[in-house]
Amino acid sequence: MSSVAVDLDGASTMELVNAASAIAAELARRAAPESAAASMELAETLGAATDMNEAALTGLIDVVDRHKEAQRWGFPSTRSWLRSRLGMRESRAKERLNMARQRHRLTQVTTRWTAGDLSLGYASTIADAVTRLDDTDCQAAEQILLEMVDQDFSAGKVASFGKRIRDVIAERNGTECPDADSRRGYERSWIDSTRSLDGGRYIKGWLNAEDAAIWDGTLGPLAKPAGADDHRDLSERTAAALGSVLSGGHRATKVTVICDLDTLTGGQAPAQLTDGTPIPAEQARRIALNAGVSPLLLGRGHTPLYFGHRVRFATGPQRQVLETLYSTCAVQSCEVPGTLCEVDHVGGWALGRSPTDIDKLSLCCGWHNRFKHANPERLRITRDEGGRYSYRLHPPGAGPPRTERPPPRLRAA
C-alpha cells in the first residue's frame, strides 16, 4: 500500500502537485461509499477541493500564456496546447484561458476562489463578464457581481446580469448615454482597425444590410465546421474564412516586396515595399511566404532578376490531390482542417529548393507555415508510402532533428 507524506509548509509546488496527483489517482480507483448521505457529503467536500485545484491550475496556465511557452513547444496558441496536452474540449479550454488572463484584474474573486470561498462556476461567470471591460469598469463589475453571489443568486442569474454589466454600471452611476456606434448611424458601413504591439490587429465595425448580405454570402459557406473534428468556435472559423478571402485564394498578387536575392536566402540587407517603406530582412522572408505576395528579386546593381517564380502557387487540381492526402495540417497534433490550410513547399519555395510539383507540396496551417520557416531546426519531416508528409515538432533545446533520406518522387499513375 502506497503512502503520501508532505510537509505542506516546506514542500515545493512540484511536490504538492505530485502529492495531489497521487491522491487523485487513488480516489479515482476507490469505489464510492454505499451510503448516499455520506457520498453526498464527500461530493460537496471534494467539489470544493476541485475548485481550489482549478484555481491553482489557472495560475499555472497564466504563467504559460504570459511567457508564450506553448508557442516555444510548437503550439499555435495556449488554447491549442490546452486542447492537445490537457485534453480539454474547446469550450473548457477557452474558459480556463480567459480566467487565467482575468485573474490579475479580479483580485477579490481570485482571493476568495483560492481560499475555497467561491466556486469555479461563479469565478468563471464573473471572468467572462469583465472580459471586454476596462480596468475601472472591471472593478465595479466585480463588486456588483460578488454582491449578487453573497445574496445567493444562482450562477445563471449572475451570468444574465454579466451580459449587460455595462448597462448595470451605467444605471447605478446615472451615466447612461448612447455609444459611439449608435451615434454614427446605421446607413453607412464602417470599419476601424488598430494594430497591436505584437503585430496583430483589432477590428471593429458595422455593416449595413447590403454589405452584411455580401459578408454572409461570402464568408458563411467558408466558415462552416470542416467536420466532426473541427473544434474551433464560429469566431475562429470566420477569421480563417476572412483570411482565405483576403489572400485571394492564394493566387492574387496584392503586395510586392523588393529585395536582393541574398536577403531572401538568408542575408541581412533590408527590403522595401513599392512605396519605399523599409522592411527588415527577417520580416521580408516571412512576408514572402504569405499568399498574395510577390517578391521582386534584385541582383547586383539592383537589376531585377525575375518577378517571382514562373509558377508560385499550386493549381486547383494539385490542391484537390493534397486535400485527399491531408485531412488536417501536416504538423502532428495540429487540428486545423486541410481545407483551410495553405499549400506548403516542403523544401522552401523562397529558397529555390522546392518547385511547385505535387510530390514537393503539403498542406500546412498559416501559423505552422510561418513557424516552419522561422524554426527549421525544430522540425523533422518524414514521408509515408502514400506520399503524405508529416512534420514532427521537437521541443525547444532538444537539438537538431535527425536527418531524413530524401523521399522518392511520385510516379505517374
Side-chain angles (χ1 to χ4, degrees), residues 188-339:
R188 292 178 296 176
S189 299
W190 57 270
I191 292 178
D192 285 338
S193 176
T194 305
R195 182 173 290 279
S196 66
L197 295 177
D198 61 358
R201 188 170 289 277
Y202 297 100
I203 298 175
K204 177 183 178 182
W206 161 261
L207 299 178
N208 60 29
E210 180 180 357
D211 292 337
I214 297 174
W215 173 282
D216 294 338
T218 303
L219 298 184
L222 299 176
K224 293 179 179 179
D229 296 330
D230 188 352
H231 302 299
R232 298 167 304 154
D233 59 25
L234 178 60
S235 298
E236 292 175 312
R237 297 197 305 271
T238 301
L242 180 61
S244 178
V245 170
L246 293 177
S247 70
H250 306 291
R251 288 178 175 80
T253 298
K254 304 290 185 180
V255 179
T256 299
V257 177
I258 304 173
C259 61
D260 294 335
L261 180 59
D262 289 342
T263 298
L264 197 60
T265 57
Q268 297 302 312
Q272 67 179 42
L273 301 179
T274 53
D275 63 0
T277 302
I279 300 292
E282 183 177 354
Q283 184 178 359
R285 286 190 288 271
R286 288 198 302 266
I287 292 176
L289 287 174
N290 292 338
V293 176
S294 178
L296 174 58
L297 304 181
L298 304 177
R300 293 182 178 180
H302 298 286
T303 302
L305 295 179
Y306 52 91
F307 195 81
H309 286 243
R310 181 175 296 275
V311 180
R312 167 66 174 91
F313 304 111
T315 64
Q318 284 178 318
R319 185 174 182 94
Q320 283 184 301
V321 172
L322 292 171
E323 289 180 0
T324 64
L325 289 173
Y326 299 88
S327 58
T328 60
C329 170
V331 175
Q332 292 185 1
S333 80
C334 182
E335 302 169 348
V336 176
T339 53

Side-chain angles (χ1 to χ4, degrees), residues 116-127:
D117 187 40
L118 192 70
S119 71
L120 169 64
Y122 283 120
S124 174
T125 297
I126 296 174

Side-chain angles (χ1 to χ4, degrees), residues 35 42 92 125 155 162 180 192 199 228 265 273 335 364 392 394 409:
S35 169
L42 291 174
R92 187 182 179 211
T125 297
D192 285 338
T265 57
L273 301 179
E335 302 169 348
C364 197
R392 176 175 296 180
H394 285 250
R409 294 178 62 88

